[in-house]
Amino acid sequence: MLRVGMLTSGGDCQALNAAMRGVVKTLDNSLGDEVEFYGFENGYQGMIYGNYRKLTARDFSGILTRGGTMLGTSRTPFKLLDEPTPEGINKVEAMKKIYADLNLDCLVMGGGNGSTKTAHRLSTEGLNVIALPKTIDNDTWGTDMTFGFHSAIEIATKCIDDIHTTASSHGRVFVIEIMGHKVGWIPLYAGIAGGADVILLPEIPYSIDNVIKTIEKRDKGGSRFTIVAVAEGAISIEEASLKRKHYKQRIAERTSPSIAYDIAAEIINRTNREVRVAVPGHTQRGGVPCAYDRVFASQVGVEAALGILAGEYGFMVADKDRMIMRVPLDIVAGRLKTVDPACQLVQEAKAMGISFGDEGIEGAINPILKPRKKK
Ligand code: F6P
């Protein structure tokens, strides 16, 4: 009998269910009654507190199109992994114990960066772990694509499309805030897909002067409106010159709801324009997975199952150059896949006249993304 533990960790996204279904269907198809599934509830918390359900293949039926995660999820910050829970439970030891008590052969974990670090840690502690690359942010190292990303792009693009019509009717500037605290993959793709005039990313510090120049240039050219797509974690050139801790402090002390409102206020102060803010927020993580994500997540699930059937563990399923493959967890854990300001897509966007707010100031680096010195 093969016993498989499953959990989903960190922020949810579309196609988590599709990925888990892919694992279960493949194993069920191959092993039938010779496999058992144990679903831990709400991420690693389920392992720590012993909250799980024994599931059958039937439980995974009808969930391909369902967003969110049937297992529930939560964030269990990696940096707090070695701190006991409020009840005094040693988290790592508790997870090892339940794995042993249930006599599991492996743990399949759908998660993003932090969750994959924990998966790697458990792997070094002797557990057989396989990670599935989940996150709308697409910032997981070692894979070209994460599932959830395409669904989020569709939603963010639709938001920009919808704003376009009202922005053009009223001749307004719209600042649309798109998810991505540390990386700008979603605003980059959705910004291009939605025809944004300005795209501001965490990886490319901007000057507000350049944003305003773009608005004025469009005014002069007869375009009555401008769309600014801004990542949650976009950063000005002034902020980029701060030390990491001072920048973090500045963000913690922000009095406006978020960066989009700061940028809107600056545009209002310096131009005569009517400016509005739109924040699609968590809608970008919600709803049904798009067709691409359903297919990709299913492929990911199958590959994880094939690994299990082969007795191979300690990897994350990845998509490299459109091939589904296995990447060792120690290569993935603790690394972030950011947008390279010099990459082809950014250059192509610039060639079309999209401003990234960095004209004349290229080369500044967000302090959050600077490699940290080892203590
Ligand atoms: O990591 C996914 C993500 O949606 C980010 O894009 C966003 O910055 C963050 O999670 C929001 O986190 P929370 O759901 O905890 O508000």
Side-chain angles (χ1 to χ4, degrees):
M1 177 67 70
L2 182 80
R3 292 185 180 81
V4 181
M6 310 177 85
L7 65 85
T8 53
S9 171
D12 72 340
C13 74
Q14 307 88 343
L16 265 167
N17 288 327
M20 291 302 182
R21 170 183 173 273
V23 176
V24 171
K25 268 191 166 288
T26 309
L27 292 176
D28 181 57
N29 201 22
S30 177
L31 300 175
D33 290 344
E34 288 306 303
V35 56
E36 286 179 355
F37 303 101
Y38 295 84
F40 292 104
E41 293 174 356
N42 307 324
Y44 289 111
Q45 299 294 315
M47 281 188 91
I48 295 167
Y49 289 101
N51 297 325
Y52 65 88
R53 279 174 288 155
K54 193 167 173 205
L55 300 165
T56 65
R58 188 176 285 268
D59 292 308
F60 292 83
S61 199
I63 62 167
L64 173 65
T65 59
R66 209 185 298 158
T69 160
M70 63 175 272
L71 298 175
T73 189
S74 64
R75 296 192 192 272
T76 306
F78 179 77
K79 63 181 176 196
L80 303 180
L81 199 58
D82 286 314
E83 286 185 19
T85 67
E87 302 80 11
I89 300 170
N90 179 315
K91 294 171 194 159
V92 174
E93 289 308 317
M95 289 194 271
K96 285 165 71 175
K97 182 168 184 317
I98 192 130
Y99 182 96
D101 288 352
L102 290 175
N103 204 10
L104 295 181
D105 293 286
C106 65
L107 174 70
V108 178
M109 188 287 305
N113 277 311
S115 309
T116 305
K117 278 202 257 183
T118 301
H120 177 238
R121 169 72 184 277
L122 293 178
S123 173
T124 62
E125 296 277 345
L127 275 56
N128 292 329
V129 188
I130 296 176
L132 313 183
K134 161 244 74 156
T135 168
I136 63 165
D137 292 336
N138 195 32
D139 57 356
T140 304
W141 185 271
T143 182
D144 294 342
M145 207 55 70
T146 56
F147 54 83
F149 177 52
H150 271 274
S151 303
I153 296 171
E154 295 291 336
I155 295 164
T157 302
K158 166 130 182 22
C159 173
I160 299 175
D161 289 348
D162 293 347
I163 292 294
H164 247 107
T165 59
T166 176
S168 66
S169 305
H170 286 263
R172 286 172 169 160
V173 174
F174 261 88
V175 183
I176 306 175
E177 186 173 291
I178 297 178
M179 273 190 168
H181 267 301
K182 287 189 178 170
V183 302
W185 292 106
I186 311 174
L188 175 61
Y189 274 75
I192 293 172
D197 308 296
V198 180
I199 300 176
L200 304 179
L201 308 179
E203 296 91 336
I204 307 182
Y206 68 88
S207 153
I208 192 71
D209 293 344
N210 287 330
V211 176
I212 286 166
K213 269 187 211 154
T214 302
I215 296 168
E216 287 170 347
K217 191 171 156 201
R218 283 180 56 78
D219 281 352
K220 283 201 191 101
S223 304
R224 295 176 63 236
F225 69 97
T226 297
I227 304 280
V228 181
V230 53
E232 287 171 305
I235 180 169
S236 71
I237 186 77
E238 292 80 21
E239 290 167 329
S241 68
L242 299 173
K243 283 199 161 39
R244 184 187 174 92
K245 80 170 179 195
H246 294 137
Y247 172 58
K248 281 187 146 184
Q249 194 178 334
R250 159 119 28 138
I251 299 301
E253 289 167 358
R254 175 179 271 148
T255 50
S256 71
S258 63
I259 179 128
Y261 293 87
D262 292 348
I263 291 175
E266 288 202 71
I267 298 171
I268 292 168
N269 277 343
R270 296 187 39 184
T271 68
N272 266 337
R273 302 302 309 272
E274 267 193 20
V275 185
R276 295 289 187 271
V277 170
V279 183
H282 287 75
T283 63
Q284 292 162 94
R285 269 189 7 212
V288 298
C290 68
Y292 180 96
D293 275 339
R294 293 179 203 181
V295 175
F296 176 43
S298 300
Q299 288 184 284
V300 163
V302 172
E303 187 64 19
L306 294 180
I308 295 169
L309 290 170
E312 202 184 301
Y313 304 106
F315 67 86
M316 182 187 78
V317 180
D319 168 359
K320 293 295 284 175
D321 302 325
R322 305 225 166 135
M323 294 285 292
I324 302 296
M325 53 181 62
R326 303 168 195 172
V327 185
L329 280 175
D330 58 353
I331 292 182
V332 176
R335 298 169 87 177
L336 198 62
K337 186 183 72 192
T338 56
V339 174
D340 176 356
C343 75
Q344 193 174 10
L345 189 55
V346 170
Q347 298 315 314
E348 287 162 348
K350 286 185 173 179
M352 289 191 289
I354 298 174
S355 169
F356 286 75
D358 66 335
E359 297 77 23
I361 55 161
E362 289 93 344
I365 300 177
N366 183 336
I368 296 284
L369 300 175
K370 277 188 189 157
R372 302 183 80 170
K373 284 188 197 123
K374 290 218 165 80
K375 286 182 187 158

